[in-house]
Amino acid sequence: MKFNTKTIHGGQKPEEKTGAVVPPIFQTSTFSQFSAGENQEYSYSRGSNPTRTALEKSLASLENGTHGFAFSSGLAAIDCVLRTLKPGDEIIAGNDLYGGTYRLFTKLFEKYGLEFTYVNMDSDKDILNAISENTKLVWLETPTNPTLKIVDIEAICVAVKNVNTDILIGVDNTFATPYLQQPLNLGADIVMHSATKYLGGHSDLIMGALVVKDAKLAEEIHFIQFAAGAIAGPMDSFLALRGIKTLHIRMQRHCENAIEVAQFLKNHPKVGAVYFPGLNDHPNHEIAKKQMKNFGGVVSFTLKDESKDATFKFLENIKLFTLAESLGGVESMVNHSATMSHASVTKEARLKMGITDSLMRLSVGIEDIEDLLADLEKALKLK
């Protein structure tokens, strides 16, 4: 099946007993058994639930994997990946990670004995120079949050696997979604999503996802998911499945609107830097063209007047772009990275990531573009 068909039919079939076209919400914690120790297909919803299973099959289909896993949040999914490691193992990651990932790495797992090295992912040499005998995982995020750098997944996978085929490569594919790029096809071992964002698409659930191809790795992830218990519930699984069915048409409009917004901001006299991989002057534009079907629905920018007063005045003036955490919903949102997505990161670390106090991230929704541009124009008057 082609991708657009997969969003609707991938891994799915009518429910066997009733013929329901949409997977039912199996809102149950437990299932009856034939006899003591003799289960039916399901026994306890922490281990598996029919609604979650339907979602996990859909996720695997979208990413061309063999096993999908749905978690209670994106960070719970990353937490599961890190639990496959042991004290003394090293993780190489990009130096401009999402703030929640950075917090998870530095505030939790460093205490548990994992070692983290942060490098510029633009350079294969920097990654290769960082690899040691303890390196067990390379963690990529592309596009990055919120500076929208693009990492060449295939080139990094080839370079790392040439050094050591046992090093796992994980990719946070949240911003791109499987509609725009499929990391497993490019050599990655693990794909992670904050399904809260584009996969759900309606700002009504919190969820994470992992997709893999390797059966042994899948078995380990499933055990951790079951043992630690950070699972997605049946209602959220139902909502995610519903969102996935329109992923392709939503992403088309997100991408169409985002390039218009990026070009508008690029030409506005009050705007400073604009971060969007679809612009020709973006440093990773050619990689994005090669690796992605389109350029995504997120645009970040700064004002020429980088003062706190000017930034906050813009955020107070904007109306259609809701000032809120998160992204990827049908409605447009604006995020002030320093006080929201990266608030847990020290100012020194933020500045190293390129996140100034003036940086704002737009999640461009699927509204009429004329209304979005008019809203930006009015807010940029800064009066």
Side-chain angles (χ1 to χ4, degrees):
M1 288 185 284
K2 300 296 184 182
F3 184 85
N4 293 356
T5 307
K6 280 185 177 181
T7 62
I8 298 168
H9 299 287
Q12 305 300 298
K13 60 182 179 180
E15 198 266 334
E16 292 182 358
K17 292 186 178 180
T18 66
V21 173
V22 175
I25 305 169
F26 286 88
Q27 194 70 50
T28 183
S29 60
T30 192
F31 303 82
S32 67
Q33 301 183 12
F34 292 119
S35 182
E38 186 181 351
N39 300 326
Q40 301 189 55
E41 183 178 357
Y42 297 92
S43 60
Y44 189 58
S45 280
R46 175 159 45 82
S48 60
N49 174 283
T51 315
R52 191 170 84 238
T53 297
L55 170 62
E56 291 174 336
K57 288 180 177 179
S58 174
L59 293 168
S61 173
L62 293 180
E63 287 286 6
N64 290 330
T66 56
H67 299 79
F69 304 91
F71 294 83
S72 55
S73 70
L75 286 172
I78 300 174
D79 175 269
C80 179
V81 174
L82 296 179
R83 287 173 187 262
T84 67
L85 307 177
K86 64 182 187 302
D89 287 347
E90 179 191 38
I91 298 92
I92 297 173
N95 58 5
D96 60 338
L97 293 171
Y98 160 58
T101 304
Y102 185 76
R103 178 179 59 227
L104 183 69
F105 288 1
T106 58
K107 299 295 179 65
L108 284 181
F109 278 92
E110 280 186 358
K111 294 195 303 183
Y112 304 148
L114 295 184
E115 299 176 0
F116 295 87
T117 300
Y118 302 96
V119 302
N120 180 358
M121 289 288 177
D122 286 341
S123 170
D124 293 353
K125 291 182 179 180
D126 288 352
I127 299 170
L128 296 179
N129 288 338
I131 292 176
S132 71
E133 62 181 10
N134 294 325
T135 303
K136 296 296 187 292
L137 173 67
V138 175
W139 189 258
L140 312 179
E141 184 180 307
T142 181
T144 62
N145 181 4
T147 57
L148 301 173
K149 293 180 181 178
I150 305 297
V151 170
D152 192 330
I153 299 171
E154 186 172 29
I156 291 173
C157 289
V158 169
V160 171
K161 296 296 185 178
N162 280 340
V163 174
N164 186 342
T165 58
D166 291 331
I167 296 174
L168 294 175
I169 299 174
V171 179
D172 183 337
N173 202 27
T174 298
F175 273 34
T177 81
Y179 176 75
L180 300 181
Q181 71 185 13
Q182 294 165 345
L184 296 181
N185 290 352
L186 300 173
D189 300 290
I190 304 168
V191 177
M192 193 285 296
H193 287 278
S194 173
T196 308
K197 314 302 193 298
Y198 289 108
L199 293 183
H202 294 80
S203 302
D204 55 8
L205 63 90
I206 301 289
M207 184 183 291
L210 296 176
V211 180
V212 302
K213 281 185 174 180
D214 182 77
K216 184 178 179 181
L217 179 58
E219 184 178 359
E220 185 173 11
I221 288 172
H222 181 259
F223 172 77
I224 295 169
Q225 182 192 43
F226 169 72
I231 56 165
M235 184 64 197
D236 283 348
S237 296
F238 171 84
L239 291 172
L241 272 167
R242 185 187 64 173
I244 285 171
K245 289 185 185 298
T246 58
L247 174 65
H248 55 298
I249 55 175
R250 287 187 287 105
M251 288 307 299
Q252 290 168 16
R253 178 59 67 87
H254 285 302
C255 292
E256 291 167 3
N257 282 354
I259 188 66
E260 295 279 348
V261 166
Q263 290 170 343
F264 168 84
L265 293 172
K266 186 73 177 176
N267 295 321
H268 199 283
K270 291 190 176 181
V271 173
V274 179
Y275 304 85
F276 184 68
L279 296 174
N280 291 334
D281 60 355
H282 187 283
N284 308 127
H285 178 65
E286 292 303 317
I287 297 173
K289 282 175 62 178
K290 177 189 75 169
Q291 183 169 283
M292 300 171 68
K293 184 176 180 179
N294 208 315
F295 302 107
V298 178
V299 181
S300 295
F301 73 104
T302 62
L303 301 173
K304 283 184 178 176
D305 180 353
E306 295 193 357
S307 68
K308 180 178 178 180
D309 286 346
T311 301
F312 279 36
K313 180 61 69 174
F314 172 87
L315 295 171
E316 292 164 3
N317 283 359
I318 201 84
K319 300 302 179 187
L320 280 182
F321 286 82
T322 303
L323 178 60
E325 300 275 4
S326 198
L327 59 104
V330 292
E331 62 286 305
S332 293
M333 294 184 180
V334 59
N335 174 285
H336 182 241
S337 299
T339 61
M340 299 173 82
S341 65
H342 287 68
S344 62
V345 180
T346 65
K347 185 170 185 178
E348 180 182 9
R350 285 201 305 269
L351 292 176
K352 287 182 180 179
M353 295 177 181
I355 301 171
T356 66
D357 288 342
S358 179
L359 185 69
M360 291 172 280
R361 186 194 72 202
L362 301 177
S363 174
V364 183
I366 65 172
E367 301 94 338
D368 282 316
I369 187 61
E370 293 83 2
D371 292 327
L372 296 179
L373 297 183
D375 193 40
L376 288 166
E377 179 64 63
K378 184 177 180 181
L380 284 165
K381 291 181 180 179
L382 304 177
K383 292 182 181 178

